[in-house]
Structures are given as C-alpha cells and as structure tokens.
Amino acid sequence: MTLTTAPIQTGAEIFESILAAPGSLVVLEGGDSEVLIDQLRTLVRHSGQSVYLWQPEIGLDSLREAHARVPGSQRLGQVLRLVQQSIHFGVYLLQGLQQPLLPVDLNLLRQLARVQTGHVRRVVLLDAPAGLINSLSDVIVRLDCALKPELRPRLRDGRWLL
C-alpha cells in the first residue's frame, strides 16, 4: 500500500501559475519569498527565462545572470515605465514595496494590470502590504503559494485514512 501526501508547490509550479494567470498584475500570498526567489533563480538559469527582481535598495536585477543590474532602476516608477515600454517576455518580481505608493506608481500598476498584449509580461508583488493589495483588488490576480500541509495517515477502525 502506498501513501500519498499533498503536493508541495515548487518554484516551477508557482512560475507556471504566474504565467497562466489571467491578468498581468499578480500577488503571491502565503509563501516564503526568499525560498521562492532562490527556486526561481535556479529555474531560470537552466531554462533561460527572463525573470527580474526589483528591491528598493538594489534596483532591478536579473535572476538569470548574477549581478546584471539595470542602471537607474532603484525608483519604482522608473521600473514600472520600463516594464510598460518593454515588448519582450518578462516576469518582474517586486519585493519591498512600502505604503503609501505615489499616486503615479499606483496608476502605472493599474495600467500594467490592464495590458493585454501578445507576449507574456507579468508584474508579481512579493510580500505586498495588505493595504496595497486591497487598493488594487479590482485588477490584481491573487495566487496562493503557501506550502500545503503534509497529509498524515491515521488509523481509524482498522483502516488507514488520509
């Protein structure tokens, strides 16, 4: 008899969920963002996908190429304009967003959420403040990336149950 456990979402599964999301603006909820970033870094180095990480103190950094930073990208508005003008595939992870956002940055996020183009371009919010998520609730796609608890078999009335 084999016992099955609940599937644990890996970085590859979460990445596929991001790509399959119906909108361009995605928020990941319930996961460990540092573990996810490490998993995505490994994934994109092998697959060649264009995935970028933005942090306020560092700016926009490629996950595929170590320390390949985009100059002048420490301000959120600059990065959002760069994403908006891009005609290439890309997944842009935004980490460390602080409330309140400038109104122009909030408007750029809303514009990016409504973009429907032939190429995949996703803006993904990591560890986003609840107030920001609520203010974008009409245009944002929520993805739950929490690890599923492992199902443990129990013995009940002489039978194993999951």
Side-chain angles (χ1 to χ4, degrees):
M1 170 165 77
T2 60
L3 300 176
T4 59
T5 59
I8 295 175
Q9 285 190 302
T10 64
E13 291 168 338
I14 294 170
F15 187 68
E16 290 300 321
S17 297
I18 291 168
L19 296 180
S24 297
L25 183 60
V26 177
V27 63
L28 296 182
E29 299 177 315
D32 183 348
S33 60
E34 295 305 319
V35 170
L36 175 64
I37 290 168
D38 288 340
Q39 290 177 346
L40 289 177
R41 183 173 281 122
T42 302
L43 176 73
V44 300
R45 284 185 179 157
H46 295 325
S47 69
Q49 301 285 3
S50 297
V51 179
Y52 303 91
L53 173 64
W54 179 83
Q55 297 170 315
E57 61 279 352
I58 297 171
L60 193 62
D61 194 9
S62 172
L63 288 185
R64 184 177 57 202
E65 300 159 15
H67 308 295
R69 294 196 174 109
V70 177
S73 63
Q74 288 175 304
R75 297 169 96 190
L76 181 60
Q78 293 168 320
V79 171
L80 295 176
R81 281 187 212 79
L82 177 81
V83 172
Q84 193 175 40
Q85 295 167 0
S86 174
I87 60 170
H88 302 288
F89 168 89
V91 175
Y92 301 87
L93 307 171
L94 305 180
Q95 186 181 38
L97 294 173
Q98 297 297 319
Q99 287 267 191
L101 288 184
L102 295 173
V104 69
D105 293 344
L106 198 56
N107 285 338
L108 284 169
L109 280 171
R110 287 185 167 283
Q111 288 173 13
L112 285 167
R114 293 186 179 106
V115 169
Q116 299 298 327
T117 60
H119 58 280
V120 174
R121 183 174 49 201
R122 298 285 186 265
V123 175
V124 180
L125 307 180
L126 300 174
D127 305 326
L132 177 61
I133 295 170
N134 292 336
S135 68
L136 295 168
S137 64
D138 59 326
V139 294
I140 204 163
V141 176
R142 294 173 175 237
L143 291 179
D144 181 20
C145 65
L147 295 178
K148 308 294 188 264
E150 187 176 323
L151 292 177
R152 296 177 186 244
R154 302 183 317 254
L155 186 63
R156 174 162 281 159
D157 298 327
R159 295 179 302 167
W160 286 102
L161 302 173
L162 291 180

